Amino acid sequence: YLRFGPLEPVRALSAYLPFEVASAIRPEIMPVVSISAPPPPARQLTYPRPLWEQDSSRHAVLELVAELKANDAGRHQVNSNRLNHLATGGDFIAAVDLASRHVVIFTPDLKIQRKWPMTAGLATSMQAPLTLAARNDEVAAIDKDGTLAWWDRHGKRQGSFSLDGVFYDLALLGNGDFLVHQTRPFPYTLAIYGRDGRKKKQFGALTSDEPKAAPLLHQGFIATGRAGKAALALINPYKIFFFSRQGTSVQAVEITPEFQVFEPFAEQLGENRWRVLRQRVVYDVAWHRDLLHVLVSSDPERAASWLEIFSPEGEFLQRFYLTMRAIQLTFWNDDLILLGYDPRLKLQRFRIEKIHRQRE
C-alpha cells in the first residue's frame, strides 16, 4: 500500500573506508607512500679486487654464439647503427631503432622478427625514447616528454600516461606496476606507478649539497631482481644502492675504480636552470641469478668496457674485460646480450663458459 507522510531522514554513512577496500574501489584517493629514510653510509671499495679472482672454479670466458647480421638489418630496414635501449621479454629481445623510433623485436638468435612504431596515443608517436623495459609479452618505454606507454609484443598499444619531473630509467614489475627512476621531486630517486598512472610509492631518498641540481646529479640506471629487490647505480660517482621490495635502502657501496674519475660539476645557468658536467662511468645494470651486473667504462670515446658483478650484499665478486665499448646489456636465459662499438655498433650474444669445463 502507499503511505503518505513525512519520510525519515537518511543517516549519512561513515566516510571511513578500510585500506583494502579503498585501494580496490577508489585507488585515486590513496595517498602516495613516501619513504624518506636516507640510505646507510656507503661502504668504500677502493681499487677493489674481485673476491672470486683466486677461485679457479669461478673463472669464465665469454664465447660469441650469435650476432645481428648487417643483411638482416638491411632487409628489415633497421638502422643497426642507431640501436639502443636493450630489454628482454618472455621469449624475445627488444631494442629501439632511434632513427625511425621503432621497437625492433629479435629472436634469441638475434634475428629480426618484427618492428613497429612507438605509438604513444591515438595519433601520436614517441619522438625521443629515453629507455625501454620488457617483461613476459609486454614492452614499455618513456619518451622525453614524459609519456610512459606500453605495448604487447606485436606492437598493439595497451595504455599510456604522462609523468612529471625528471626521469631516466624504467622497469616492469611482476605485479604489472612500473618502477621509474625519477629524480624529481627531490630527494626521491625511485617511484612506483600503477597502470592507471597513479604514483603509489616514492623512495630512494638521496641527499645533495646542490638540491636544485640533484635531479641531474642523481641520474643512473635501475635493475630489479628476485623477491622484489631493486638496485640503483649512479652514472658518476660509481655508487650502488640496494633496496628491499618494501623500498627500504638496505645497502650502499661506493667504488673507486682503477682509472681516474673526475667529480661531477654542477653549474647554475639561471634561477631554475642547471648544467652538470661529468664523466660517465656506469652505462647499464642488470640483475641475473641474484647477482648485479654493472657495465663500466673509463672513456666513452676510446676505451673498452668492464662487466663487474656484485652480490646483493654489495660484495665485488667478479670482473670481465670486454673487447667492445659496450653501452647496453641484458640477459637471455644464462647468455649475456651486449650492444656496443667494435668499432661499429654491434649486437652480440655471449655464452659465459667456465674455463675449468673447457679443460675437462
Side-chain angles (χ1 to χ4, degrees):
Y1 60 92
L2 296 177
R3 175 184 175 184
F4 297 93
L7 298 176
E8 295 183 2
V10 178
R11 296 181 180 179
L13 295 177
S14 171
Y16 171 76
L17 286 175
F19 177 86
E20 293 80 4
V21 176
S23 60
I25 66 174
R26 293 289 305 279
E28 70 277 3
I29 69 173
M30 301 301 296
V32 177
V33 176
S34 299
I35 301 177
S36 302
R43 185 157 52 92
Q44 301 295 318
L45 301 179
T46 303
Y47 311 137
R49 304 304 304 172
L51 296 180
W52 291 352
E53 190 174 54
Q54 303 301 321
D55 185 354
S56 60
S57 67
R58 301 282 190 174
H59 294 178
V61 294
L62 301 180
E63 292 189 353
L64 181 65
V65 295
E67 183 175 7
L68 171 62
K69 303 298 183 182
N71 58 354
D72 192 25
R75 185 168 59 253
H76 289 85
Q77 297 182 332
V78 170
N79 190 334
S80 59
N81 292 316
R82 295 294 305 279
L83 292 176
N84 208 334
H85 309 315
L86 283 181
T88 302
D91 60 354
F92 64 90
I93 295 149
V96 176
D97 181 349
L98 294 178
S100 62
R101 297 180 292 278
H102 279 60
V103 170
V104 184
I105 302 296
F106 300 90
T107 67
D109 293 329
L110 301 185
K111 292 182 170 64
I112 297 176
Q113 198 171 59
R114 65 178 63 89
K115 67 173 187 175
W116 32 266
M118 304 180 75
T119 55
L122 295 178
T124 60
S125 297
M126 288 193 171
Q127 298 302 307
L130 296 177
T131 183
L132 191 74
R135 191 181 185 97
N136 298 330
D137 287 333
E138 288 189 315
V139 179
I142 298 178
D143 198 19
K144 188 176 181 179
D145 67 359
T147 300
L148 193 161
W150 62 100
W151 310 264
D152 66 18
R153 59 175 299 168
H154 300 286
K156 182 179 179 181
R157 189 174 65 88
Q158 303 297 299
S160 62
F161 56 84
S162 295
L163 298 169
D164 292 325
V166 179
F167 24 82
Y168 205 74
D169 205 3
L170 171 69
L172 275 166
L173 301 179
N175 64 354
D177 289 345
F178 301 99
L179 176 64
V180 178
H181 174 31
Q182 183 175 359
T183 56
R184 186 176 291 164
F186 178 79
Y188 304 103
T189 58
L190 297 170
I192 294 176
Y193 289 84
R195 299 261 166 155
D196 57 359
R198 184 180 67 86
K199 183 190 290 189
K200 297 182 176 181
K201 181 184 293 185
Q202 54 188 8
F203 57 102
L206 301 182
T207 60
S208 176
D209 294 333
E210 297 286 357
K212 292 185 178 180
L216 299 177
L217 292 170
H218 291 165
Q219 288 179 342
F221 298 95
I222 57 175
T224 55
R226 295 176 180 175
K229 297 176 185 173
L232 167 66
L234 299 185
I235 292 174
N236 184 357
Y238 187 177
K239 201 170 186 178
I240 306 171
F241 301 91
F242 296 85
F243 299 91
S244 68
R245 67 179 304 166
Q246 291 78 24
T248 304
S249 180
V250 296
Q251 183 69 256
V253 293
E254 183 168 4
I255 301 94
T256 302
E258 296 177 345
F259 53 84
Q260 187 174 14
V261 178
F262 300 97
E263 292 187 8
F265 172 74
E267 178 184 12
Q268 188 169 7
L269 302 178
E271 183 177 356
N272 295 312
R273 293 177 58 230
W274 286 78
R275 178 177 64 177
V276 171
L277 304 176
R278 64 182 165 208
Q279 173 188 353
R280 190 169 181 176
V281 178
V282 173
Y283 282 74
D284 203 2
V285 293
W287 278 106
H288 181 65
R289 299 292 185 187
D290 210 29
L291 298 175
L292 185 69
H293 296 68
V294 185
L295 200 57
V296 179
S297 181
S298 61
D299 188 326
E301 299 299 328
R302 295 180 294 275
S305 304
W306 292 267
L307 180 63
E308 301 192 332
I309 303 174
F310 295 83
S311 71
E313 294 74 35
E315 296 175 313
F316 180 38
L317 302 178
Q318 194 168 27
R319 174 188 289 139
F320 287 96
Y321 293 95
L322 308 176
T323 57
M324 68 159 54
R325 180 165 60 86
I327 58 173
Q328 292 276 310
L329 83 153
T330 187
F331 281 88
W332 166 254
N333 291 337
D334 286 333
D335 287 357
L336 174 67
I337 312 292
L338 291 176
L339 180 66
Y341 294 90
D342 188 25
R344 297 176 63 86
L345 191 64
K346 293 183 178 181
L347 179 61
Q348 297 178 323
R349 172 181 164 185
F350 297 89
R351 179 168 294 118
I352 303 176
E353 190 71 28
K354 293 290 183 64
I355 293 178
H356 75 278
R357 290 180 182 173
Q358 293 180 329
R359 294 172 179 170
E360 292 174 354

